[in-house]
Amino acid sequence: MVLDIEDAIAGLDSDERRKVEEMAAELIAEEMTLRELRKARALTQASVARELGISQDAISRLEKRSDLMLSTLSRTVEAMGGRLSLIAHFPDRPPVELAGIAEHDARN
């Protein structure tokens, strides 16, 4: 017998369903492109561009890049209302947040 995931979720009580939905949202949020992140924050390219003092076209190009300077990525995330952190994962220890890597001087 094949069990449909929607049927399985529908069969859960409200607390269990909420936990499953929260876990799914966390898993989805773990990996997003800059474009997906901007859209999830209900922001337009133009609004982020205004915040950064650059053109909308520059945001479009930035969202398509696969290789960004950390300072550029940090400023972009901050323009969306967030804070960038960089986490190093090792097999023999808990994750480590790297300090000072993505920071930039707000006066520049």
Side-chain angles (χ1 to χ4, degrees), residues 1 10 16 27-28 36 43 45 51 56 60 66 72 92 96:
M1 178 172 135
E16 290 174 324
L27 290 172
I28 291 167
E36 292 166 337
L43 299 168
Q45 287 182 341
E51 185 70 27
Q56 174 273 322
S60 177
S66 61
T72 300
D92 60 342
V96 177

Side-chain angles (χ1 to χ4, degrees), residues 2-94:
V2 176
L3 180 62
D4 181 76
I5 190 68
E6 297 298 327
D7 292 338
I9 292 172
L12 299 173
D13 68 44
S14 62
D15 284 340
E16 290 174 324
R17 191 174 321 117
R18 181 185 49 75
K19 287 177 186 175
V20 168
E21 289 168 354
E22 286 174 2
M23 184 180 295
E26 285 178 26
L27 290 172
I28 291 167
E30 285 181 5
E31 185 173 311
M32 291 180 129
T33 65
L34 273 179
R35 179 177 185 261
E36 292 166 337
L37 178 60
R38 176 183 52 75
K39 288 184 169 225
R41 303 277 303 148
L43 299 168
T44 65
Q45 287 182 341
S47 67
V48 174
R50 273 191 305 276
E51 185 70 27
L52 290 170
I54 61 176
S55 69
Q56 174 273 322
D57 185 55
I59 295 296
S60 177
R61 288 192 311 271
L62 185 131
E63 288 181 348
K64 293 175 185 170
R65 293 193 58 181
S66 61
D67 186 16
L68 293 173
M69 291 182 60
L70 289 176
S71 58
T72 300
L73 182 57
S74 180
R75 283 192 301 273
T76 304
V77 169
E78 287 174 9
M80 293 185 215
R83 181 185 71 84
L84 182 67
S85 62
L86 192 58
I87 308 293
H89 297 270
F90 299 94
D92 60 342
R93 62 165 295 143

